[in-house]
Amino acid sequence: MAKKGEGQNAKGKSAEARQAHEALCRRCGVCCHQKVRFGDVVVITDVPCEFLDTATNTCTVYPERFVRQPLCSSADVSAATGTLPDDCPYVAGRSNYVAPLLLEDHPEYEPGVNALFPERLAGLKKPPGSAAKCSRNLRRQRKG
């Protein structure tokens, strides 16, 4: 008989379960952009995590992401805190899920985001894999 926990990681998921969970990700990169909470509203900015490779929308430090980036959270935590876009497979089918807003669609939040991320005011271009662009592309793919 196998010992309790054998073949499982610290979170209690088997390798197969972890692999299936990871396979849900579309690699859109939206969850790897900074989020700002304004009261009850969460806004996804166009500011990517420093470890997001915007060309491939993958994390360059994935195995150690939680140590290297304290703001990084798992898909489960992100789903529970309402920080994943509504078209993310990790929240698909969840009733009453309140998705965050995309900054590009809600410019009224620009002043608050600019105050937190002054580099946006320095005239820096948005990264090619911006959150809004990725999410819109996913919406088009789902409709088409």
Side-chain angles (χ1 to χ4, degrees):
M1 177 180 242
K3 294 179 184 175
K4 184 177 179 182
E6 192 173 289
Q8 296 183 341
N9 69 2
K11 298 287 183 188
K13 289 184 180 178
S14 68
E16 295 81 19
R18 285 192 315 272
Q19 201 169 29
H21 188 72
E22 292 284 334
L24 291 175
C25 183
R26 293 183 186 152
R27 311 291 186 265
C28 72
V30 175
C31 62
C32 297
H33 282 75
Q34 301 297 328
K35 291 116 188 136
V36 179
R37 186 173 294 276
F38 296 96
D40 293 336
V41 176
V42 175
V43 177
I44 298 176
T45 73
D46 55 2
V47 180
C49 169
E50 65 182 304
F51 300 113
L52 177 65
D53 177 341
T54 57
T56 63
N57 286 330
T58 57
C59 180
T60 59
V61 295
Y62 191 77
E64 54 194 40
R65 65 196 180 279
F66 301 124
V67 173
R68 302 277 304 272
Q69 177 48 273
L71 296 177
C72 185
S73 59
S74 69
D76 294 333
V77 169
S78 295
T81 57
T83 58
L84 295 175
D86 61 354
D87 56 1
C88 178
Y90 290 105
V91 295
R94 288 187 185 211
S95 61
N96 302 321
Y97 179 75
V98 179
L101 305 177
L102 294 174
L103 179 61
E104 192 166 298
D105 295 338
H106 295 274
E108 65 270 23
Y109 293 104
E110 290 261 356
V113 171
N114 288 339
L116 292 169
F117 300 100
E119 63 271 19
R120 293 184 82 243
L121 296 174
L124 299 176
K125 292 183 177 181
K126 292 180 183 178
S130 74
K133 179 180 173 185
C134 291
S135 192
R136 277 201 195 90
N137 287 341
L138 285 174
R139 284 187 204 127
R140 283 188 203 122
Q141 289 172 5
R142 285 178 33 184
K143 288 180 183 178

